[in-house]
Amino acid sequence: MISTTNIGKEYGARVLFTDVSLLLNDGCRYGLVGANGSGKSTFLRIVAGDEESSEGTVTIPKRARMGVLRQDRFLDDDAIILDLAMRGDGIVWNALCEQRRIAASGSLDEAASVGDLEDLIAAHDGYTLEARSSAVLEGLGIPTTLHRAPLSTLSGGFKLRVLLAQVLVGGVDVLLLDEPTNHLDILTIRWLEKFLAGYAGCAVIISHDQRFLDNVTTHTLDVDYGTITSYVGNYSTAMMEKAAARGLKETRIARAQEEIARKRAFVERFGAKATKASQAQSRLKQIERIEVEDIAETSRRTPQLKFAPERPSGREVLELKHVSKTYGDKRVLSDVSLVVRRNERIAIIGPNGLGKSTLLKIAVERLGADGGAIKWGHETRPGYFPQDHREVLDDPQATPLELLSALCPAESPTYVRGQLGRVLFSGHDVDKRVGLLSGGEAARLVFAVLAVQKPNVLVLDEPTNHLDLEAIHALRDALAAYQGTVLFVSHDRWFVSQLATRIVEITPDGLRDFAGTYSEYLERCGDDHLDGEAVLLKAKRERKAATGRDAITAAAPAPGESWEEQKRRRNRLAQLPKLRDKALADIEAAEARKRELQGLFYSGEFYQRSPSEIAALKREDATLSQTIERLMATWEDLETELHAATASNTAGDS
């Protein structure tokens, strides 16, 4: 469907990517991933025709219709919500508008074209457009009662949902989606996953939501090393394959460098001896023929996040009693009571519009409640991460260096620069104006603020927004190691599943408070109202309990697979890690023996041995070379099989 040939893009001296040649096919959904600023959105704009590439060409069939979700596009506030969604199918919408215009004008001269319009509308399933548009809006969380209202009725996040609906309604052949899960809650993300799973065209999707990528994508386009590499499989599978390929390349480079070092050592030791001169020259020529691969520098950068409380809090951290809040005629919180205890990591989840962020703002006393009481416990010191970073970074003219220095005046400039360096501010970055920072940069700066404040309670409102996947993983690690209490709102299911020890779901009927992990909560619910994984989790737990083995040995049986076949497959999967480790140990042993033989060959006493002994050692050396190649191939096969099994389990879990 889409082909790119030697695409490259550069801005002045900065090269984003070069030599990108890809073939993107119908029926495939490609996750476009990479570090913030690596060029993901730029590549999407090039494919969409919104931006020129520096080199190369993009080829798309002329008749192909394209739908593009752009992060910088806005809609008319006065337009009707349903009409905006229907405009996504431009062919049908224009035909319907023309049909209505002719009917209103009563012109006999144009009446003849009505039949052609009706044929066009029927050919494109146009008479179902309103129903289809309404269904998409409903799926994206916009109720039917609002479909005939103007766009201005909705908040900013819901306006973006209308924009997404417009793209999804179009019935296009190519979907280009830049961060479609932004501002969506868990329920709506789940609906979008189901919608995209049934999409028959070619989709390219930028997202930093790992579980969304794993559930939706069939291929991964990785923007790194100055190019874009295509992998078969979802994000988790692709990253395992990428790491394995990188590891093999580093191993080959290390071996080549070791070989060069051994030959140079021989030359340096025996090059001056007349009897060894020809051998030394031979080794110099061999060194010249050894090719050492170049290994490109990754564009991935991982912040070093760390939060350490200055002192522990009391056991009872926070108590909310009968809290309520109303905005105009809309009540978002009603009689909410909650007790937070030390060292809990509480995830607050639920649909948008029910007061999750409001609850956090009331808790940190940045918003007053209409009723109820808030009580912080003994020695508590909360730190707050708001959705709108300007609530914390309230001086747009300040620089990161000035802002952080003011928060810790007793610390040295070296300490302050070190804290900024941990969140990837270095060089001139520390002198940027706060008001000019990107969303990801501002989020990382807030984390630096929290690090120097040393709170013993972290209150985080959508902390993964604007972060790339490396930063999200770093944040997960930092919060998992944090010796304090965490209260956070998130729609990132992977992030919630990795951290939460308690789930508080806000529903229209009130709070559901569950003491356990996200996976346990889904299993307890027994339905897919949040994620669609509860049944799979339950089945996995039952299989694990029955076999007593690790999850990797309990992959779901294939359709029609007999019990004996399942048993053989489980036994094979259980042996894979052991076989892989044995292959690695055998490789290391063979390489150690080969190095030992090489040392003998290079020693001055080697040729004093008997001819038969010399011949036997040379045969052993040749055999070892073949053995190492065979073991390497076996190891690669086992790694591939192990990764495939792990990916199968990961897909089954998601």
Side-chain angles (χ1 to χ4, degrees), residues 264 267 279-289:
R264 286 195 186 282
V267 172
Q279 296 175 26
Q281 288 299 315
S282 173
R283 279 163 175 74
L284 284 174
K285 291 178 181 178
Q286 291 172 8
I287 289 172
E288 292 174 358
R289 290 195 294 268

Side-chain angles (χ1 to χ4, degrees), residues 546-569:
T547 61
R549 285 188 288 270
D550 189 78
I552 194 170
T553 71
E561 194 175 37
S562 69
W563 183 86
E564 291 80 5
E565 290 169 332
Q566 293 179 38
K567 183 177 179 181
R568 282 195 296 272
R569 181 169 55 80

Side-chain angles (χ1 to χ4, degrees), residues 18 36 98 136 158 196 223 272 282 309 342 353 370 383 530 612 616-617 636-637 653:
T18 58
N36 283 345
E98 181 67 6
V136 170
F158 278 87
L196 292 174
V223 187
S282 173
R342 185 178 57 217
D370 295 336
L530 288 175
S612 60
L617 289 171
E636 290 179 22
D637 291 342
D653 292 347

Side-chain angles (χ1 to χ4, degrees), residues 236-419:
S236 294
T237 302
M239 291 304 101
M240 285 190 291
E241 184 178 341
K242 178 183 178 181
R246 176 86 174 192
L248 287 174
K249 191 171 186 178
E250 289 173 345
T251 299
R252 288 196 298 267
I253 291 172
R255 286 179 178 169
Q257 291 171 337
E258 287 175 5
E259 186 70 12
I260 290 171
R262 285 196 295 269
K263 294 182 185 300
R264 286 195 186 282
F266 181 91
V267 172
E268 290 170 0
R269 183 172 183 181
F270 300 110
K273 293 185 177 181
T275 56
K276 304 292 186 183
S278 62
Q279 296 175 26
Q281 288 299 315
S282 173
R283 279 163 175 74
L284 284 174
K285 291 178 181 178
Q286 291 172 8
I287 289 172
E288 292 174 358
R289 290 195 294 268
I290 296 174
E291 294 185 4
V292 180
E293 299 177 70
D294 291 329
I295 189 160
E297 185 178 349
T298 180
S299 60
R300 300 288 208 273
R301 297 195 304 158
T302 302
Q304 304 299 312
L305 302 179
K306 183 178 181 180
F307 309 112
E310 193 168 35
R311 64 178 67 87
S313 69
R315 185 175 180 277
E316 300 291 330
V317 171
L318 173 66
E319 184 177 11
L320 303 174
K321 285 186 177 181
H322 310 296
V323 170
S324 62
K325 182 65 180 179
T326 301
Y327 293 105
D329 296 331
K330 184 179 181 182
R331 179 175 288 273
V332 293
L333 296 173
S334 180
D335 197 29
V336 171
S337 295
L338 184 68
V339 176
V340 179
R341 299 173 184 86
R342 185 178 57 217
N343 293 336
E344 286 187 311
R345 296 197 295 267
I346 302 176
I348 299 179
I349 63 175
N352 284 345
L354 295 185
K356 301 185 301 297
S357 295
T358 298
L359 185 63
L360 293 193
K361 288 182 179 180
I362 290 172
V364 296
E365 299 176 347
R366 288 177 176 261
L367 181 67
D370 295 336
I374 301 95
K375 180 183 177 183
W376 285 94
H378 179 66
E379 289 286 349
T380 53
R381 186 176 179 182
Y384 179 49
F385 181 102
Q387 272 197 59
D388 185 349
H389 304 138
R390 290 172 297 184
E391 292 184 40
V392 175
L393 310 176
D394 53 2
D395 182 358
Q397 297 304 312
T399 67
L401 185 60
E402 292 169 347
L403 187 148
L404 218 59
S405 297
L407 289 173
C408 47
E411 300 290 351
S412 68
T414 301
Y415 170 84
V416 175
R417 287 183 179 272
Q419 291 297 320

Side-chain angles (χ1 to χ4, degrees), residues 510-588:
L511 262 60
R512 291 181 179 178
D513 193 346
F514 177 78
T517 67
Y518 182 69
S519 297
E520 292 167 340
Y521 181 58
L522 290 178
E523 184 178 1
R524 177 66 62 86
C525 291
D527 59 35
D528 66 352
H529 81 288
L530 288 175
D531 199 16
E533 69 173 19
V535 175
L536 292 172
L537 280 167
K538 185 176 181 181
K540 178 183 173 184
R541 284 177 176 273
E542 289 173 351
R543 290 196 303 271
K544 183 175 179 181
T547 61
R549 285 188 288 270
D550 189 78
I552 194 170
T553 71
E561 194 175 37
S562 69
W563 183 86
E564 291 80 5
E565 290 169 332
Q566 293 179 38
K567 183 177 179 181
R568 282 195 296 272
R569 181 169 55 80
R570 288 197 300 268
N571 289 339
R572 171 64 177 172
L573 293 178
Q575 291 299 314
L576 281 178
K578 298 176 183 177
L579 294 172
R580 185 266 316 275
D581 294 344
K582 184 179 184 303
L584 283 173
D586 290 344
I587 290 170
E588 291 174 359

